[in-house]
Structures are given as C-alpha cells and as structure tokens.
Amino acid sequence: QIHLEESGGGSVQSGGSLKLSCAAQIFSNYCFGWFRQAPGKEREALASIDKHGKTTYAESVKGRFTISRDVAASTFSHNVAANRFYLQMNSLKPDDTATYFCASDIECCGDAVWCVAEFTYLGQGTQVTVNS
C-alpha cells in the first residue's frame, strides 16, 4: 500500500538548518519531491529527484536546499518498496516558514519542478517555522 510520511520539522532561528525526511512506501522508480504551503498561499514546488538521481530545484531554494534519496533502500523495482528521501535545508529564512510535504508520482517534469505541487501521492506534512 502506498504511504508517505514526513519527519524532521520544527522551529529554527534564521540562518539555521533542518533536515526533513520522508519514509515512502512507493514504487522505487517514481519521481520524488518536496513542496510547501504557507497559510493563505498556494503550494510551492521546491525540489525533485528522479529515478536516475537527477535533481531539480525552484529558484527560491536553489543553493540552500538539497534533495537526496537513500539509494541503499531503493531499487529500480516495479513493486512498492520502502524508500526514503530527504530535504536538507540550510540558511533558512523567515519566508521559509510553511508546512512541508513530500510527494511522489510516476514522472518528474524534466528541467522544471512545478509538477511536484500536483503529485498524486503525498504525506500529511510537517511544520517548519523559522524565527527572525
């Protein structure tokens, strides 16, 4: 059964770092990504990583956030398997305050990241608060 669950959110001072994790029971050859949503705002796609390890980032987080996946736990399998992927967030700003979601779907969207905000499978979200 497909299931995604985030962990690692919390409160941090401006300039600090957090690492989010996503435990994903999903097809290992799917695209994985992260998006966030602040109160009263639309979803903002942040990053994606495809089955080959290619990463793509939104301009707002490029150079500060890094997406990765646990290769040891992921195989190019057509069966649902236990995967894990991460979002390392550095140089955090108050504007980064939001609920962060991990998400997955069949394909990434090439050199863009917008599609992550529309992925079919997603977790319940984890809150990140950056204090000034």
Side-chain angles (χ1 to χ4, degrees):
Q1 185 173 350
I2 292 174
H3 180 76
L4 284 76
E5 186 169 351
E6 306 89 345
S7 60
S11 295
V12 65
Q13 291 297 113
S14 181
S17 298
L18 280 175
K19 186 173 184 178
L20 306 182
S21 297
C22 181
Q25 190 75 16
I26 195 128
F27 298 101
S28 299
N29 57 354
Y30 272 25
C31 177
F32 299 142
W34 292 89
F35 70 89
R36 66 188 178 190
Q37 188 166 26
K41 295 187 176 181
E42 295 185 353
R43 292 181 178 182
E44 180 186 10
L46 302 175
S48 66
I49 184 166
D50 71 9
K51 60 185 178 183
H52 301 296
K54 175 188 174 184
T55 58
T56 308
Y57 297 94
E59 286 299 320
S60 60
V61 303
K62 193 174 292 184
R64 299 190 299 125
F65 291 11
T66 303
I67 187 171
S68 61
R69 59 186 292 177
D70 187 344
V71 177
S74 304
T75 59
F76 294 148
S77 168
H78 293 285
N79 297 317
V80 172
N83 293 275
R84 186 169 290 273
F85 59 108
Y86 309 92
L87 187 68
Q88 175 67 47
M89 306 185 294
N90 299 327
S91 302
L92 284 162
K93 311 171 184 178
D95 284 349
D96 293 319
T97 296
T99 301
Y100 284 69
F101 297 84
C102 61
S104 184
D105 216 316
I106 297 174
E107 295 285 348
C108 293
C109 38
D111 294 329
V113 72
W114 62 268
C115 59
V116 173
E118 301 178 6
F119 275 1
T120 302
Y121 305 105
L122 59 156
Q124 82 290 346
T126 186
Q127 178 67 34
V128 171
T129 302
V130 184
N131 302 305
S132 57

